[in-house]
Amino acid sequence: MGTLFIFLWCELLSGQTAMVNVQSRNLTSLNGKWNVLVDPGDIGGWKKFWIEPKPQKKTDFFEYSFDGAPELNVPGDFNSQMCELSFYEGSVWYRKLFNVSPKKDTRLFLYFGAVNYIADVYLNGEKLGSHEGGFTPFQFEITGKVKEGNNSLIVKVDNRRLENGIPGRGYDWLNYGGITRDVSIIETADTYIDDYSIQLKKGSLNNVLGWIQLEGGHAEQNIKVKIPELHIVYKTRTNDKGIAKVEFSAPFKLWSPDSPKLYKVTIESETDSVTDSIGFRCIEVQGNKVLLNKKPIFLKAVNIHEENPMKKARAYSAEDARLLLNSAKELGCNLVRLAHYPHNENTIKEAEKMGLMVWSEIPIYQHIQFSDSLVPQKMETMLKEMIRRDKNRAAVIVWSLSNETYSGTPNRNNALIGLTQKCRTMDSTRLINHVTNTQSYVNNVFNVWDTLYKYSDLICINEYIGWYDPWQGKPSETKWKVAFPDKPIFISEFGGEALYGNKNVPTDEAASWSEEYQEQIYKNQIEMFGTIPNLCGVCPWILFDYKSLGRMQPVYQKGYNRKGLLSDKGEKKKAWYIMNEYFKQK
Ligand code: GCB
């Protein structure tokens, strides 16, 4: 087995406890109603009976109880489910009672799709562990800890912002807290298929290069990878560490937005078997172009937050995903930038089925404390968790590692350059980007530079000319000075705010918040796009108006960022039609 291959595998899995890849697993859902105790004063931590069973004697002091406590839906954010928690940032304790009958020679894991932001997890009064990070999955092995019959699972969730959190203290979206994604029990064989990577080798249209990892006492086993539709039965064997390299070729019909082909892929060991739906495609940058399956592609993108505008809640289900993604399709997109954190798995899978490429990012956003000693480790863990979950999804073409971090911040460059290198060793097959707004716009000359661009496959620029910055000449005469002029340029954000229905008012001032003002920004931006060298795509900010505590303009915003092309009720603003027309022409 090649040393390079072992290195890639190790980078991705190192430091992780067993983390069962949940695709096609036998899952027992713990979704549904959970009892909750809201804990604004943080007393649950020292009143330890919160995590213990009921008092035994009548005289036992007993001030708090999950029995009879209010209920919240899991998955779901707590802010949208109880009006007194609308803007809450603090602790909420959740409890679920459940029954299991553990079988002999099987292992059980407790899986959380995501909890925002810190989760402390207790099973039958015993602490299983903690997890930090609001948008990636985690799990604990509960074999031998879970009892036959009744069990009590308690999760303390704390969505308070932390100075050294990721994201940090300041961000422009609602801090939805809670158990926001699925909770399940996974049952596996004693030695089980823990994880696998089955994707095309970088630059190839037909060679698969990947690996399989078994976990458990019986490490060395015969393995088969089957793709029935292509009559593939690839045989290999795991080594004494449970690892097998996978390398074969096949005449794949490639995944693309026009033809989002997925194959049923089964991996069989002697003790276990899993089935996944996998697409095969090749994404690369050559010179100043982005190539999908070796053909140049213009990235017609839109930014999306993980919020269902109709429910005014954190999105999590396949239905929520379809609402957001169908709207992106209708706009004419072939790519969705899932801002600014990894979105739920349903979104990735639905996008993959409907032929939308996905840009996935970790929430290294603006105010990160790079000089805090804990931050580098947190960044790396989040990156690993994102890649681990979605590395087999063909739709994901970009790992984006940061957004608008400040170039003058101490340790920022070292931390992010290091992270980029780690990311390339974990997965070299996708594009890796940083988004910055290290720029100046003077006398109609746009100057773009940032050390991070050297390490980024695309030059990704967020700019809000016409909104935060006034035009300084004719958009069609904008001049560009770009460091690293040979790379493709992607406008990852642009736009301005308008309240839907606010029409036919003076259009020449931003303060009018009119649809016409926003429409004009889009017209000007499109003229300017014509001046950008190596433009490979554009991505308006944003698809729907969305909730944000920082947006409290009392007449027009009222707690919403109004840069949506669609209102929070899904109504099309005038700018929507401009963007739709542009994408049709591209
Ligand atoms: C940005 C940020 C995005 C904001 C947006 C805005 O540059 O990347 O998260 O929400 O601007 O609306 O100002």
Side-chain angles (χ1 to χ4, degrees):
M1 213 175 293
T3 43
L4 174 66
F5 159 71
I6 289 289
F7 181 64
L8 299 185
W9 170 86
C10 287
E11 269 304 319
L12 188 56
L13 298 185
S14 65
Q16 305 262 333
T17 47
M19 267 278 289
V20 189
N21 185 321
V22 295
Q23 311 300 328
S24 315
R25 283 283 172 192
N26 231 347
L27 303 179
T28 306
S29 174
L30 297 184
N31 292 347
K33 303 276 182 207
W34 290 48
N35 292 103
V36 295
L37 295 171
V38 179
D39 186 14
D42 259 334
I43 51 168
W46 56 269
K47 300 238 179 214
K48 75 179 171 79
F49 45 82
W50 279 32
I51 54 169
E52 285 174 351
K54 281 181 171 188
Q56 302 304 306
K57 302 193 295 292
K58 280 188 181 166
T59 50
D60 283 356
F61 176 69
F62 187 49
E63 196 173 10
Y64 299 91
S65 168
F66 281 102
D67 295 337
E71 291 176 327
L72 287 180
N73 286 317
V74 170
D77 66 85
F78 53 60
N79 310 79
S80 66
Q81 296 190 59
M82 273 187 193
C83 59
E84 60 271 42
L85 297 183
S86 293
F87 301 128
Y88 184 70
E89 298 192 347
S91 305
V92 174
W93 295 70
Y94 285 70
R95 184 199 63 180
K96 182 80 177 171
L97 300 176
F98 66 96
N99 257 276
V100 278
S101 304
K103 293 190 206 110
K104 205 170 163 277
D105 298 330
T106 58
R107 294 168 71 171
L108 295 174
F109 297 82
L110 181 61
Y111 168 85
F112 293 86
V115 173
N116 191 30
Y117 173 76
I118 290 183
D120 294 311
V121 183
Y122 303 84
L123 180 65
N124 301 324
E126 183 197 338
K127 186 160 184 179
L128 294 176
S130 300
H131 180 264
E132 176 171 347
F135 304 97
T136 41
F138 58 96
Q139 46 186 268
F140 302 102
E141 179 153 17
I142 53 172
T143 318
K145 295 181 177 160
V146 74
K147 297 182 296 190
E148 174 80 41
N150 289 334
N151 289 271
S152 160
L153 174 63
I154 291 179
V155 183
K156 179 194 173 200
V157 180
D158 191 344
N159 72 331
R160 239 166 300 214
R161 298 167 197 235
L162 300 177
E163 198 63 35
N164 66 2
I166 299 178
R169 280 194 180 281
Y171 43 91
D172 185 23
W173 65 87
L174 196 95
N175 180 14
Y176 288 110
I179 305 181
T180 50
R181 297 186 189 159
D182 295 326
V183 184
S184 335
I185 294 176
I186 312 165
E187 184 190 294
T188 70
D190 211 19
T191 298
Y192 64 92
I193 299 165
D194 185 50
D195 203 4
Y196 51 88
S197 170
I198 308 278
Q199 287 279 282
L200 287 178
K201 185 176 171 181
K202 179 90 183 163
S204 175
L205 298 181
N206 47 22
N207 295 319
V208 168
L209 180 62
W211 47 263
I212 289 162
Q213 161 81 75
L214 301 185
E215 183 64 40
H218 185 182
E220 292 176 63
Q221 296 197 26
N222 291 320
I223 304 284
K224 283 184 193 153
V225 179
K226 295 181 177 170
I227 309 182
E229 201 180 325
L230 295 170
H231 308 289
I232 300 276
V233 180
Y234 170 79
K235 295 182 184 162
T236 181
R237 189 167 168 82
T238 44
N239 65 13
D240 58 354
K241 296 191 169 52
I243 310 164
K245 183 177 182 178
V246 174
E247 197 168 19
F248 62 88
S249 56
F252 293 110
K253 185 170 177 222
L254 299 168
W255 185 97
S256 73
D258 294 334
S259 163
K261 171 72 187 158
L262 299 175
Y263 288 94
K264 187 175 152 202
V265 178
T266 300
I267 303 168
E268 283 174 15
S269 71
E270 292 162 35
T271 51
D272 195 12
S273 148
V274 288
T275 301
D276 200 349
S277 290
I278 298 185
F280 297 88
R281 58 92 196 95
C282 169
I283 186 79
E284 54 198 338
V285 166
Q286 264 182 28
N288 57 19
K289 299 238 168 345
V290 174
L291 307 184
L292 177 70
N293 300 330
K294 305 285 177 192
K295 294 191 197 103
I297 186 161
F298 189 79
L299 303 173
K300 299 188 254 183
V302 71
N303 282 285
I304 299 182
H305 261 301
E306 194 183 40
E307 182 176 273
N308 181 327
M310 307 303 166
K311 295 184 188 159
K312 316 258 176 278
R314 181 58 88 210
Y316 63 85
S317 64
E319 193 194 342
D320 293 339
R322 284 193 290 270
L323 172 95
L324 297 168
L325 299 172
N326 281 331
S327 303
K329 271 264 177 190
E330 195 189 349
L331 182 64
C333 296
N334 57 19
L335 171 74
V336 283
R337 177 179 178 217
L338 302 181
H340 281 299
Y341 37 78
H343 288 210
N344 65 83
E345 281 170 279
N346 291 315
T347 303
I348 314 289
K349 286 188 182 165
E350 291 299 315
E352 188 159 76
K353 281 193 249 166
M354 61 174 78
L356 279 167
M357 295 180 283
V358 169
W359 162 307
S360 187
E361 69 188 58
I362 44 178
I364 300 184
Y365 179 94
Q366 294 182 356
H367 308 272
I368 297 293
Q369 297 299 316
F370 292 102
S371 41
D372 186 290
S373 61
L374 296 177
V375 165
Q377 189 52 52
K378 292 186 190 185
M379 295 192 310
E380 200 182 317
T381 303
M382 244 173 234
L383 178 65
K384 272 185 189 165
E385 289 173 345
M386 171 174 77
I387 296 180
R388 259 194 94 128
R389 194 191 73 179
D390 290 338
K391 62 188 171 304
N392 290 311
R393 304 281 71 87
V396 178
I397 60 153
V398 170
W399 301 127
S400 191
L401 306 192
S402 69
N403 181 73
E404 295 186 356
T405 54
Y406 305 121
S407 57
T409 311
N411 302 352
R412 176 256 205 184
N413 285 356
N414 286 346
L416 291 180
I417 292 166
L419 195 69
T420 315
Q421 285 156 348
K422 287 258 175 213
C423 187
R424 283 202 198 284
T425 58
M426 289 177 211
D427 179 4
S428 61
T429 67
R430 290 170 170 88
L431 310 186
I432 299 176
N433 289 333
H434 293 274
V435 174
T436 91
N437 53 0
T438 315
Q439 58 199 225
S440 71
Y441 173 59
V442 182
N443 297 330
N444 219 17
V445 179
F446 214 106
N447 209 325
V448 183
W449 72 95
D450 197 308
T451 314
L452 291 181
Y453 286 143
K454 188 172 168 204
Y455 304 87
S456 210
D457 285 314
L458 308 179
I459 305 280
C460 302
I461 302 170
N462 288 354
E463 51 83 11
Y464 285 86
I465 308 189
W467 185 248
Y468 296 126
D469 306 298
W471 291 99
Q472 304 201 353
K474 284 193 181 159
S476 59
E477 292 172 3
T478 312
K479 302 274 178 298
W480 290 81
K481 277 195 194 163
V482 185
F484 313 105
D486 299 333
K487 293 194 175 191
I489 294 185
F490 181 67
I491 300 295
S492 33
E493 289 181 27
F494 66 97
E497 302 202 31
L499 180 67
Y500 173 77
N502 187 26
K503 293 184 199 161
N504 307 321
V505 291
T507 58
D508 55 347
E509 35 177 299
S512 71
W513 300 80
S514 68
E515 283 195 46
E516 285 86 358
Y517 192 87
Q518 187 194 37
E519 180 187 36
Q520 192 57 46
I521 292 176
Y522 274 77
K523 286 183 180 164
N524 291 343
Q525 284 279 345
I526 285 171
E527 265 188 56
M528 188 193 65
F529 294 158
T531 67
I532 304 179
N534 308 340
L535 184 71
C536 71
V538 301
C539 187
W541 186 265
I542 189 168
L543 187 56
F544 284 94
D545 289 351
Y546 65 96
K547 284 179 169 249
S548 175
L549 287 190
R551 304 292 178 175
M552 288 298 175
Q553 205 280 356
V555 181
Y556 302 107
Q557 288 182 314
K558 296 182 178 162
Y560 278 85
N561 183 317
R562 296 279 181 205
K563 294 191 187 72
L565 291 167
L566 299 167
S567 75
D568 56 303
K569 297 186 183 59
E571 297 134 328
K572 292 178 177 125
K573 301 183 195 172
K574 287 187 160 197
W576 186 95
Y577 295 93
I578 305 296
M579 209 53 224
N580 181 236
E581 198 47 45
Y582 177 73
F583 282 155
K584 278 187 197 152
Q585 308 292 326
K586 280 286 168 184

